[in-house]
Amino acid sequence: MIAAVVEAFQLVISGDPALWDVILRSLWISTTATILAMVVAIPLAVLLGTVAFPGRWFVNTVVGSFQAMPAVVVGLLIYLLLTRQGPLGDLRLLFTSWAILIAQFVLVLPMAVALVTGRMRDLWRRFGDLYRLDGASFPTRMRALFVMAPGPIIVVGLTVFGRAISEVGAAIIVGGNLEYATRVLTTAIKLEVEQGKLAEALAFGLVLLALALIVNLSARLVTAALPEGDIERK
């Protein structure tokens, strides 16, 4: 076991091409999925958090429920959409990195919407009357979210990224775990363990743990640099 750990560190440090191919692919897929999810989630969150309309509670309940959707179910749904017999089969995206990106986007979008909505709802309870008196438009409300709570929004983005890069079920179903094509960190770990290559699996695991540490540390630094108490002074 000790020898496997030592070899894993050596693989990470040596710049193994296969290892870095998986790392870079994982980063660009999960980062892109996170950015797209946040771009869609923020206006939806402002709508759900500040605009009263019939059935809003039901929509919020559904969004919250979708946070618990298993990754394999998301992968199955995307597979059915992208398979040759599916409505998007002509795009030929199945078993490509784009398919994994789509699956991760669908997986993390409910989380992004729910977390940003919760933050927006809190802000609206505290400052909504002032904005109503000023007749604030929808774009003005969106700007207010960024001005008054940039820290929480960044933390939500980091949380969503952590969820995206750590999922495995959907990536295997729609990506196929193809070397130098669709293999990402989580699927690579699964494959190497199945093949008995513990050093390689540990190397991928070390990278994933390092990314988790970086995300968590970044969230803490953002929270410390942009404390919520500053909202009262803005």
Side-chain angles (χ1 to χ4, degrees), residues 53-70:
F53 57 88
R56 184 174 67 167
W57 67 270
F58 178 75
V59 175
N60 282 318
T61 300
V62 171
V63 170
S65 300
F66 280 169
Q67 290 186 83
M69 182 179 294

Side-chain angles (χ1 to χ4, degrees), residues 85-142:
Q85 293 76 30
L88 302 180
D90 291 340
L91 297 177
R92 299 180 183 275
L93 294 177
L94 194 61
F95 303 130
T96 67
S97 295
W98 294 105
I100 301 176
L101 193 157
I102 293 170
Q104 288 191 4
F105 167 78
V106 173
L107 181 67
V108 301
L109 180 59
M111 173 186 286
V113 173
L115 292 177
V116 181
T117 298
R119 188 65 200 128
M120 191 67 214
R121 191 182 296 116
D122 291 340
L123 290 175
W124 200 243
R125 288 196 191 101
R126 298 165 65 184
F127 306 105
D129 290 341
L130 297 176
Y131 281 95
R132 291 189 191 95
L133 289 174
D134 291 340
S137 63
F138 190 81
T140 301
R141 298 178 188 187
M142 286 189 60

Side-chain angles (χ1 to χ4, degrees), residues 141-153:
R141 298 178 188 187
M142 286 189 60
R143 284 196 299 272
L145 175 63
F146 286 102
V147 170
M148 293 192 293
I153 297 303

Side-chain angles (χ1 to χ4, degrees), residues 103-225:
Q104 288 191 4
F105 167 78
V106 173
L107 181 67
V108 301
L109 180 59
M111 173 186 286
V113 173
L115 292 177
V116 181
T117 298
R119 188 65 200 128
M120 191 67 214
R121 191 182 296 116
D122 291 340
L123 290 175
W124 200 243
R125 288 196 191 101
R126 298 165 65 184
F127 306 105
D129 290 341
L130 297 176
Y131 281 95
R132 291 189 191 95
L133 289 174
D134 291 340
S137 63
F138 190 81
T140 301
R141 298 178 188 187
M142 286 189 60
R143 284 196 299 272
L145 175 63
F146 286 102
V147 170
M148 293 192 293
I153 297 303
I154 295 173
V155 171
V156 169
L158 291 170
T159 303
V160 169
F161 172 81
R163 176 71 177 98
I165 203 167
S166 63
E167 78 83 25
V168 59
I172 288 180
I173 293 175
V174 303
N177 202 18
L178 306 175
E179 188 174 14
Y180 293 107
T182 63
R183 188 165 297 169
V184 292
L185 285 168
T186 50
T187 60
I189 292 173
K190 181 179 183 299
L191 177 67
E192 301 298 356
V193 170
E194 290 175 347
Q195 294 181 345
K197 298 179 180 179
L198 293 183
E200 288 80 356
L202 283 170
F204 289 121
L206 288 172
V207 173
L208 200 55
L209 286 173
L211 289 173
L213 179 61
I214 291 171
V215 168
N216 187 49
L217 180 60
S218 300
R220 289 181 177 273
L221 291 175
V222 168
T223 302

